[in-house]
C-alpha cells in the first residue's frame, strides 16, 4: 500500500467528513452566480473558480493556455495530459494550505472572486463524452448474473478470465448528478407469452466507477498496459441504469440496446489518480495467467468505499449496498490496453466504466438484480414497504470515498430520481 502524504491544514474551513479535502481538489464544471459555465474545483463547502485564479495570475507558473478554464467542458484541459493536471493540483494545495506559500489568503478581494459557496453553484456535466465503453470487470457480479441464468457451474463464460469483456454504450444520454431518469418503454417477453410493449417493470441501478480519459491515442496505435495509467485523467461515479426486462428480451445476439441507452448518471467531480494514490492496493491473482499484452505489475487497484442509498418519494431511506472498488478483477489499465490493442483511438473525455461492482457478500452486491435476486428476495424498507426493483419516485444515490489514517478523499454523490414513463 502506498505511503500517506504528511498531514496538511487549509486556511479555508473543511468540515469533518468532507470528501473535498486539501488532498483532493477534483475538477468539475459549474455555473457560478448566473455566469457562464467554467472549470472549477472544490475545497470543503467552497467552489474554486479556476478561471478567476488564472485571470488574477495565481496560476502563471503553470504556463497554461489562456482561457483554458473558461470553457463549458474540461476536455481541452484534460487533453493536456497528466503533467499539467498534476501541476494544477499541487498549485491549489500550495494556495490553500495553511503551511503553503500561496499569497491568496492575504487578499480578501481576490478570495471574493475565487471562492463561492458550493450550495449556490450549479454543477454541470464535467466533460463532453463522445465515446463511452462499459466493461464487465467484477468477477462477483459476473458470477452472480451467470448463476441466475446458467447455473453456478457455468456462471462465467469461457472468455471472461481471458479478457476484459465490454461493449460500446450510448454517450448522449449520460447526465450529471441531479438529472432525473425517466422509466423507459420497450418490448418485453413475460414468461411463455408473446412480446408486449410498455414501461419497464424491472428498472435497476448499477454501481460503477468510470475512468475519464485525458490524453488519447492516435487511430491505428495502441496503449500498452504499462503506459495506460498516464492516459487516465481521473475517475467519477457511474450509475449505468438498466431495464432488465427489456434487456433480457433484446440482448441476443448483439448485446444491450434499449435496455441501457435511456440514461446513465455520473457524479460531477473528476477525482485525479494522484488524489487516490494513498488508496492503491495490489489486484487479485489472475488465474489463468493473462496474455502478455494485459500483464501489469504493482498497485493496480484502489481500495475505495462505495455505497448505494435508496430514498423513496415519501422520504424513506435505505442503504442498499456497501461495496468497494477493490472487488474489480480487471484493472482500468487492463481495460485500456484491451480497448486499444486493435488500434482503436481513445479521445479526451471518453468514459470507460467498470461495469457493476459487487463484492462476495449480499450486502456488497452492486445492483437490485443481485440484491433482490431477480425479485425473489425483496428488500424490506423501514416503513414496511419493499423493493425488488426501482420504482417511480425513488431516488438512487451513489457515493464513493477513500479513507485511511485520518485522510479522506471522495467523489461527492451521483443521484437521480426516477420519473414515470411517458404515456
Amino acid at each position: 500500500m502506498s505511503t500517506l502524504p504528511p498531514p496538511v491544514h487549509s486556511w479555508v474551513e473543511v468540515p469533518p467528513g468532507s470528501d473535498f479535502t486539501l488532498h483532493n481538489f477534483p475538477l468539475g464544471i459549474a455555473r457560478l452566480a448566473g455566469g457562464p459555465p467554467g472549470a472549477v474545483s472544490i475545497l470543503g463547502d467552497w467552489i474554486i473558480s479556476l478561471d478567476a485564479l488564472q485571470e488574477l495570475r495565481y496560476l502563471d507558473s503553470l504556463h497554461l493556455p489562456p482561457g483554458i478554464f473558461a470553457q463549458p467542458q474540461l476536455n481541452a484541459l484534460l487533453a493536456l495530459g497528466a503533467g499539467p493536471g498534476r501541476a494544477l493540483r499541487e498549485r491549489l494545495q500550495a494556495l490553500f494550505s495553511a503551511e503553503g506559500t500561496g499569497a491568496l489568503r492575504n487578499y480578501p478581494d481576490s478570495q471574493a472572486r475565487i471562492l463561492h459557496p458550493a450550495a449556490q453553484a450549479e454543477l454541470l456535466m464535467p466533460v463532453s463524452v463522445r465515446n463511452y465503453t462499459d466493461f464487465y470487470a467484477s468477477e462477483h457480479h459476473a458470477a452472480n448474473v451467470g448463476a441466475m441464468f446458467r447455473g453456478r457451474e457455468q456462471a462465467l463464460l469461457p472468455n471472461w478470465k481471458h479478457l476484459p469483456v465490454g461493449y460500446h454504450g450510448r454517450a448522449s444520454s449520460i447526465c450529471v448528478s441531479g438529472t432525473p431518469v425517466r422509466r423507459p418503454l420497450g418490448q418485453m417477453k413475460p414468461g411463455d407469452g408473446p412480446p408486449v410493449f410498455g414501461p419497464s417493470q424491472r428498472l435497476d441501478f448499477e454501481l460503477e466507477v468510470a475512468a475519464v480519459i485525458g490524453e488519447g491515442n492516435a487511430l491505428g496505435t495502441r496503449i500498452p498496459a504499462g503506459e495506460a495509467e498516464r492516459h487516465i485523467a481521473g475517475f467519477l461515479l457511474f450509475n449505468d441504469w438498466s431495464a432488465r426486462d427489456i434487456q433480457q428480451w433484446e440482448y441476443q445476439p448483439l448485446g444491450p440496446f434499449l435496455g441501457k441507452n435511456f440514461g446513465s448518471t455520473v457524479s460531477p467531480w473528476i477525482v485525479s489518480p494522484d488524489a487516490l494514490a494513498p488508496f492503491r492496493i495490489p489486484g487479485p491473482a489472475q488465474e489463468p495467467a493473462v496474455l502478455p499484452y494485459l500483464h501489469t505489475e504493482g498497485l493496480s487497484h484502489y481500495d475505495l468505499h462505495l455505497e448505494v442509498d435508496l430514498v423513496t418519494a415519501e422520504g424513506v431511506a435505505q442503504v442498499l449496498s456497501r461495496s468497494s472498488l477493490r472487488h474489480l478483477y480487471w484493472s482500468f489499465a487492463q481495460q485500456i490496453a484491451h480497448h486499444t490493442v486493435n488500434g482503436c483511438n481513445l479521445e479526451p473525455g471518453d468514459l470507460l466504466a467498470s461495469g457493476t461492482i459487487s463484492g462476495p457478500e449480499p450486502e456488497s452486491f452492486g445492483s437490485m438484480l443481485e440484491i433482490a435476486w431477480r425479485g425473489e428476495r425483496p428488500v424490506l424498507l423501514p416503513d414496511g414497504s419493499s423493493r425488488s426493483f426501482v420504482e417511480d419516485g425513488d431516488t438512487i444515490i451513489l457515493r464513493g470515498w477513500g479513507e485511511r489514517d485520518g485522510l479522506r478523499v471522495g467523489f461527492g454523490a451521483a443521484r437521480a430520481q426516477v420519473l414515470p414513463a411517458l404515456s
Side-chain angles (χ1 to χ4, degrees):
M1 188 173 288
S2 57
T3 303
L4 282 172
V8 290
H9 304 281
S10 174
W11 53 267
V12 174
E13 182 180 0
V14 178
S18 174
D19 282 351
F20 307 119
T21 59
L22 196 65
H23 188 73
N24 195 347
F25 288 110
L27 297 176
I29 293 290
R31 193 186 307 276
L32 303 173
V40 295
S41 187
I42 184 171
L43 180 61
D45 294 331
W46 294 92
I47 299 288
I48 301 165
S49 170
L50 298 178
D51 187 42
L53 273 176
Q54 186 179 45
E55 286 187 357
L56 294 171
R57 309 196 64 175
Y58 286 99
L59 304 180
D60 280 2
S61 61
L62 305 184
H63 305 292
L64 294 170
I68 191 70
F69 301 115
Q71 303 185 34
Q73 286 94 26
L74 292 169
N75 297 57
L77 176 62
L78 302 185
L80 298 177
R86 180 173 297 115
L88 173 61
R89 175 173 168 269
E90 291 173 352
R91 178 59 178 155
L92 291 173
Q93 287 178 320
L95 286 169
F96 290 96
S97 170
E99 300 90 352
T101 57
L104 178 59
R105 67 184 301 181
N106 300 319
Y107 292 91
D109 290 343
S110 293
Q111 293 174 31
R113 289 186 57 188
I114 293 166
L115 294 173
H116 302 261
Q120 300 176 16
E122 180 187 0
L123 297 177
L124 305 172
M125 190 70 189
V127 290
S128 174
V129 184
R130 292 183 60 188
N131 305 288
Y132 149 55
T133 303
D134 192 32
F135 283 93
Y136 197 44
S138 167
E139 182 176 3
H140 295 296
H141 172 67
N144 284 339
V145 175
M148 289 180 197
F149 296 101
R150 294 185 298 274
R152 286 289 178 188
E153 293 185 359
Q154 296 179 315
L156 295 181
L157 292 171
N159 64 351
W160 199 90
K161 287 202 169 183
H162 292 276
L163 56 88
V165 174
Y167 77 98
H168 296 289
R170 184 69 181 177
S172 66
S173 55
I174 299 174
C175 298
V176 73
S177 176
T179 307
V181 170
R182 190 169 292 280
R183 182 176 298 274
L185 296 164
Q187 278 196 33
M188 296 152 285
K189 191 176 185 301
D192 296 328
V196 298
F197 175 81
S200 169
Q201 301 302 305
R202 295 193 167 195
L203 182 61
D204 201 356
F205 67 86
E206 294 192 16
L207 172 61
E208 305 192 21
V209 171
V212 184
I213 297 299
E215 181 183 358
N217 62 300
L219 180 64
T221 68
R222 54 182 284 198
I223 299 175
E227 300 176 14
E229 290 189 355
R230 71 177 181 86
H231 292 265
I232 299 176
F235 301 91
L236 42 69
L237 301 175
F238 195 93
N239 181 355
D240 182 25
W241 293 92
S242 297
R244 299 295 186 183
D245 40 8
I246 297 174
Q247 181 182 357
Q248 184 176 355
W249 172 233
E250 74 177 1
Y251 83 101
Q252 293 181 356
L254 294 182
F257 186 40
L258 299 185
K260 291 279 195 178
N261 70 2
F262 60 93
S264 299
T265 303
V266 298
S267 53
W269 297 107
I270 299 174
V271 179
S272 72
D274 291 330
L276 297 176
F279 312 105
R280 299 200 64 160
I281 57 172
Q286 294 185 323
E287 295 292 341
V290 299
L291 293 175
Y293 80 95
L294 290 170
H295 178 72
T296 59
E297 296 180 349
L299 305 178
S300 59
H301 284 55
Y302 294 90
D303 187 13
L304 301 178
H305 302 280
L306 301 172
E307 184 175 290
V308 182
D309 297 334
L310 180 148
V311 181
T312 70
E314 295 75 27
V316 178
Q318 174 70 38
V319 177
L320 295 176
S321 175
R322 290 187 175 96
S323 191
S324 172
L325 191 55
R326 71 185 301 140
H327 295 313
L328 286 190
Y329 184 88
W330 296 104
S331 71
F332 287 101
Q334 289 174 317
Q335 293 170 43
I336 291 172
H338 186 65
H339 201 309
T340 64
V341 73
N342 65 346
C344 176
N345 55 317
L346 298 180
E347 299 180 323
D350 283 2
L351 297 186
L352 274 59
S354 61
T356 304
I357 302 165
S358 293
E361 305 297 335
E363 57 267 24
S364 62
F365 292 169
S367 67
M368 284 299 290
L369 179 68
E370 299 164 89
I371 295 168
W373 206 258
R374 281 204 296 184
E376 298 170 10
R377 308 167 190 168
V379 176
L380 185 65
L381 303 185
D383 65 349
S385 64
S386 64
R387 291 291 185 276
S388 294
F389 289 94
V390 185
E391 297 188 3
D392 292 349
D394 289 347
T395 297
I396 296 294
I397 307 168
L398 273 55
R399 294 185 175 89
W401 68 94
E403 195 162 16
R404 176 178 163 222
D405 297 340
L407 175 68
R408 183 181 174 107
V409 172
F411 295 86
R415 70 176 67 217
Q417 185 179 37
V418 175
L419 301 181
L422 294 172
S423 58

